[in-house]
Amino acid sequence: MDKIVHVVGARPNFMKVAPVIEAMAAEAEAQGRSLKQILVHTGQHYSPEMSTLFFDELGLPVPDINLEIGSGSHGPQTGRIMEAFEQVLFDEKPDAVLVVGDVNSTIACALDAKKLGIEVIHVEAGLRSGDLGMPEEINRILTDSISDKLFITEPSAEHNLAKEGVPASRVHFVGNVMIDSLLKHRDAALARSTLDQFPVSAGEYLLVTLHRPSNVDNEKTLGQLVDAIIEAAKALPVLMPLHPRTAANLERFGLKDKLVSDRITITEPQGYLDFMHLTANARAVLTDSGGIQEETTILGVPCITARENTERPVTISCGTNQLVESNWSAIGPALKGVLARDGSSNGKSVPEFWDGSAARRIAKILLK
Ligand code: UD1
């Protein structure tokens, strides 16, 4: 391989691609061979706090190409990415395209590459929630079905891919590149003074992040979650960085004012290092994110996930994660259980290969 295109599009992609680019450059240099790496940002996320902020913090190169696609419903957004990215492939003629995760940019660019006969590499393959109501689950299944090399983070992925008939020879268990980024930047994140901006103290707040369409696009469910946050705040002050999707829906459903309280702090989406600081110092986290289930597992912070399923079961078997329904009857007992436990007993063990070297393993396989 002489030339590879890496794709990023949305916030959770940046911390996955950064270690891969770095490891591939190091491996090529160690082998004394030339490798051209091109970074394409589809522009699915574009607000500074959802995008540019992460580049500096993660040491990601400035994208060589930004397709500036922006927001939209699934069809137009995926279609616009496909149209623009195909032109990139015509111009650049790479040997391979590497996509990460499960966002619309992932499937759009994988599909373009595959149809042009370009090798498709999927990092964080094989995760399955079993819930086709999630847009990400559709993106995962389709991307994996056309990928030539599939890099997986946990044993469940091997099983899922085998069930779908993906040949084992394409699948490589390498660990978790998101955790590579976390371990690399953990000390810098901990050294920040992020908490000084907020009226909460280390180890004494509940960090809340919600953005899944199944939780925040539905008025009744979002209303139940707002009620749960108000109840939770009676036990523990709440700090809630607000995703733009959630902010818009709180406004639309007239729920925003209900959260006004001196026990609840609502703030903008945070950069990578600040968010890691806030996660590491939280007493517990209430979330519906995929990545945060993994990060809390490594940081040993109890994670209450407001979802019916998870595509990351190792965060439950090894980590600090538990699934609950999106209402106070389920969240309340989970939070009480967490508060009753001594924080030092959080987390059972570290999942295999979540050791900071996943990207190095990927680079070695790709540049063999
Ligand atoms: C997308 C991903 C999801 C991922 C999440 C992380 C898909 C299908 N979904 O969902 O898997 O967990 O990113 O955030 O790819 N907006 C801004 N600024 C931005 C981006 C979005 O204000 O930079 C607003 C827009 O109003 C947009 C809304 O947020 O309509 C939702 O953004 P979108 O990219 O459609 O989906 P996410 O919910 O962010």
Side-chain angles (χ1 to χ4, degrees):
M1 177 193 307
D2 299 318
K3 193 179 201 184
I4 182 168
V5 167
H6 302 274
V7 175
V8 291
R11 183 169 63 176
N13 296 159
F14 307 128
M15 54 294 259
K16 296 173 191 169
V17 165
V20 177
I21 292 180
E22 191 183 333
M24 288 193 73
E27 181 64 24
E29 198 183 320
Q31 292 183 20
R33 62 194 267 189
S34 80
L35 172 71
K36 175 112 174 102
Q37 303 198 73
I38 297 170
L39 180 60
V40 175
H41 189 345
T42 65
Q44 180 176 340
H45 284 173
Y46 46 87
S47 303
E49 70 277 11
M50 299 291 285
S51 178
T52 27
L53 187 52
F54 288 79
F55 280 77
D56 281 351
E57 292 188 347
L58 290 161
L60 259 177
V62 176
D64 299 283
I65 300 162
N66 191 327
L67 304 177
E68 296 182 351
I69 297 303
S71 298
S73 55
H74 293 280
Q77 186 179 59
T78 310
R80 286 201 306 269
I81 298 169
M82 284 191 69
E83 186 171 2
F85 187 68
E86 189 184 59
Q87 191 56 49
V88 173
L89 298 180
F90 286 146
D91 295 343
E92 298 291 343
K93 302 182 182 54
D95 302 307
V97 168
L98 185 143
V99 295
V100 296
D102 54 18
V103 301
N104 285 344
S105 301
T106 310
I107 177 61
C109 296
L111 195 48
D112 270 335
K114 189 68 179 176
K115 289 201 168 171
L116 293 180
I118 297 167
E119 180 176 36
V120 177
I121 300 158
H122 187 202
V123 172
E124 200 188 87
L127 298 179
R128 297 289 182 271
S129 65
D131 176 4
L132 278 171
M134 272 180 99
E136 295 83 0
E137 182 76 351
I138 301 166
N139 294 341
R140 291 179 199 120
I141 293 171
L142 296 180
T143 304
D144 286 341
S145 72
I146 56 170
S147 290
D148 299 288
K149 290 198 173 78
L150 298 93
F151 292 109
I152 65 171
T153 54
E154 61 164 271
S156 72
E158 200 166 349
H159 173 73
N160 297 333
L161 292 170
K163 236 174 43 188
E164 289 171 21
V166 176
S169 56
R170 291 190 201 155
V171 180
H172 306 270
F173 181 21
V174 291
N176 193 327
V177 290
M178 193 173 216
I179 301 305
D180 289 5
S181 280
L182 173 62
L183 295 177
K184 178 174 175 185
H185 297 289
R186 180 163 55 180
D187 288 348
L190 288 174
R192 289 171 87 86
S193 52
T194 319
L195 273 182
D196 296 351
Q197 302 165 44
F198 304 111
V200 294
S201 312
E204 290 172 27
Y205 59 93
L206 177 69
L207 181 66
V208 178
T209 82
L210 298 166
H211 77 284
R212 291 263 154 244
S214 59
N215 274 332
V216 306
D217 285 5
N218 176 289
E219 182 170 358
K220 182 165 170 240
T221 311
L222 187 56
Q224 285 173 354
L225 281 164
V226 165
D227 291 341
I229 290 166
I230 293 165
E231 287 301 317
K234 292 177 185 163
L236 207 55
V238 167
L239 180 56
M240 186 174 181
L242 214 50
H243 186 283
R245 174 188 285 278
T246 313
N249 285 336
L250 285 172
E251 190 88 51
R252 181 156 67 104
F253 301 141
L255 291 166
K256 210 173 141 197
D257 290 348
K258 285 186 85 173
L259 289 171
V260 176
S261 152
D262 57 5
R263 301 274 295 174
I264 302 173
T265 306
I266 307 273
T267 184
E268 297 294 306
Q270 300 290 299
Y272 182 69
L273 297 175
D274 284 331
F275 191 75
M276 278 312 115
H277 186 95
L278 296 178
T279 307
N281 283 293
R283 180 70 181 84
V285 173
L286 170 64
T287 190
D288 57 13
S289 152
I292 294 170
Q293 296 170 48
E294 298 181 339
E295 288 159 342
T296 48
T297 281
I298 294 300
L299 293 168
V301 174
C303 184
I304 300 168
T305 299
R307 281 178 52 186
E308 286 171 3
N309 45 58
T310 180
E311 59 288 332
R312 294 160 158 93
V314 79
T315 60
I316 296 175
S317 57
C318 270
T320 60
N321 193 19
Q322 59 178 310
L323 301 180
V324 296
E325 282 175 31
S326 299
N327 56 55
W328 180 243
S329 323
I331 294 169
L335 184 60
K336 257 187 226 125
V338 163
L339 294 179
R341 280 203 310 269
D342 170 7
S344 63
S345 64
N346 294 331
K348 298 164 203 126
S349 54
V350 174
E352 190 179 0
F353 290 156
W354 290 24
D355 58 359
S357 295
R360 216 170 305 151
R361 293 186 193 100
I362 290 171
K364 281 208 182 306
I365 293 167
L366 292 181
L367 295 175
K368 199 151 64 185

